[in-house]
Amino acid sequence: MSYNLLKGKKGIIFGALDSNSIAWKTAERVHEEGGQFVLTNAPVAMRMGQINELAEKTGSQVIPADATSVEDLQKLVEQSMEILGGKIDFVLHSIGMSINVRKGNHYTNQNYDWTQKGTDVSAMSFHKVMQTLYKADAMNEWGSIVALSYMAAQRVFPDYNDMADNKAYLESIARSFGYFFGRDKKVRVNTISQSPTPTTAGSGVKGFDGFIAYADKMSPLGNATALDCANYCVTLFSDLTKRVTLQNLYNDGGFSNMGVSDAVMSTFVGEE
């Protein structure tokens, strides 16, 4: 169902890879709600995914950009404003990568060159995106910037590895830069801590199926889907949340406030 919440709004969506990705679902929902946007991803990711299919479906243009490169980001922002005909109203940062996870390196045995690369892609890129937008005065007042996080930023999930550190850093950047963006530009900055979601990136984490099953049993409403997250992003891009900023917002079916559930407890006491 469409509510026309984003009619006339223009933005940039980072990280759409394929139809499983949250950024992809968000792009579809933003389009349904009347928003216009530019799609962007790293050139290597674009070769792996089907972003051009999404662009055709939503009437969008694709601009390749490495989010760790300030030069690429400056070109992206400049070209996006030309394509969209003005300043930006919303941005989604849906980017995350850990080479240590991908290569199977345990948290206690990191390759630090890989760690730094993962931090740059997963967290520092968010600062670079916002700094580029800030310096270019590219955001409209009451604009909205959202990044996707995960609860491992606050609690231990052993196999999430150095991505947990990256998400903690990401959330800190959102608060710190969000203060200046709010004070100086009237732009809000938030992160969404999403349920474990079977995206292409998430599925690379060891034991991810177990994460999903456990969280679903623990959460009174069950896991939030990629579409649920896309809908939440739409509300944060809309004018209905004009004074929500500096928040890490949980979209997790209640998982974050649970100690234990009956469903989880029954597995330990032998009940069905």
Side-chain angles (χ1 to χ4, degrees):
M1 181 182 293
S2 174
Y3 303 93
N4 228 20
L5 288 174
L6 301 180
K7 184 179 180 180
K9 294 194 180 295
K10 303 164 184 178
I12 302 173
I13 295 178
F14 288 80
L17 182 67
D18 55 37
S19 59
N20 293 319
S21 67
I22 292 171
W24 184 293
K25 299 291 188 190
T26 301
E28 290 178 330
R29 285 293 295 116
V30 168
H31 177 65
E32 289 169 2
E33 293 294 340
Q36 296 175 280
F37 48 84
V38 165
L39 293 165
T40 184
N41 212 329
V44 64
M46 289 177 61
R47 290 194 294 271
M48 294 165 53
Q50 300 99 39
I51 194 171
N52 290 323
E53 176 188 328
L54 177 63
E56 184 176 348
K57 179 178 181 180
T58 59
S60 307
Q61 292 194 42
V62 180
I63 302 177
D66 177 354
T68 68
S69 165
V70 172
E71 182 180 359
D72 276 16
L73 291 172
Q74 288 170 340
K75 291 177 182 176
L76 169 66
V77 169
E78 182 180 329
Q79 291 175 29
S80 296
M81 291 173 70
E82 288 175 4
I83 290 167
L84 297 170
K87 291 187 179 184
I88 306 302
D89 297 295
F90 61 87
V91 175
L92 176 66
H93 179 283
S94 179
I95 306 171
M97 184 275 296
S98 167
I99 304 175
N100 283 307
V101 169
R102 191 183 299 163
K103 298 287 189 178
N105 274 20
H106 194 268
Y107 186 77
T108 59
N109 183 38
Q110 292 189 40
N111 176 316
Y112 291 118
D113 289 338
W114 294 350
T115 304
Q116 288 181 329
K117 179 63 175 175
T119 299
D120 199 15
V121 171
S122 305
M124 185 69 77
S125 66
F126 191 41
H127 193 286
K128 291 177 180 178
V129 167
M130 287 198 285
Q131 181 168 290
T132 302
L133 292 163
Y134 182 90
K135 286 186 172 182
D137 194 25
M139 296 291 296
N140 278 320
E141 284 196 354
W142 304 110
S144 176
I145 301 172
V146 174
L148 301 184
S149 190
Y150 181 55
M151 197 177 164
Q154 288 85 31
R155 300 187 189 179
V156 177
F157 291 83
D159 291 325
Y160 204 61
N161 209 310
D162 56 336
M163 275 304 298
D165 302 330
N166 295 337
K167 292 301 188 185
Y169 187 22
L170 178 84
E171 292 177 15
S172 179
I173 289 169
R175 289 187 295 269
S176 297
F177 214 121
Y179 166 74
F180 296 105
F181 238 138
R183 184 194 69 182
D184 300 338
K185 311 285 188 181
K186 292 290 186 290
V187 171
R188 56 205 194 270
V189 180
N190 297 286
T191 54
I192 295 176
S193 189
Q194 167 72 2
S195 295
T197 309
T199 62
T200 302
S203 298
V205 177
K206 179 184 173 186
F208 198 71
D209 289 346
F211 275 14
I212 292 175
Y214 171 74
D216 200 47
K217 282 194 170 188
M218 182 69 84
S219 309
L221 294 180
N223 288 335
T225 65
L227 179 58
D228 291 329
C229 191
N231 286 327
Y232 203 5
C233 288
V234 166
T235 68
L236 290 173
F237 294 157
S238 79
D239 291 333
L240 299 178
T241 52
K242 282 176 69 170
R243 284 189 167 79
V244 179
T245 195
L246 312 185
Q247 303 299 311
N248 180 50
L249 301 161
Y250 292 99
N251 186 50
D252 62 3
F255 179 90
S256 50
N257 272 326
M258 291 297 296
V260 72
S261 69
D262 293 336
V264 169
M265 186 61 75
S266 68
T267 66
F268 291 98
V269 296
E271 296 177 4
E272 291 298 326

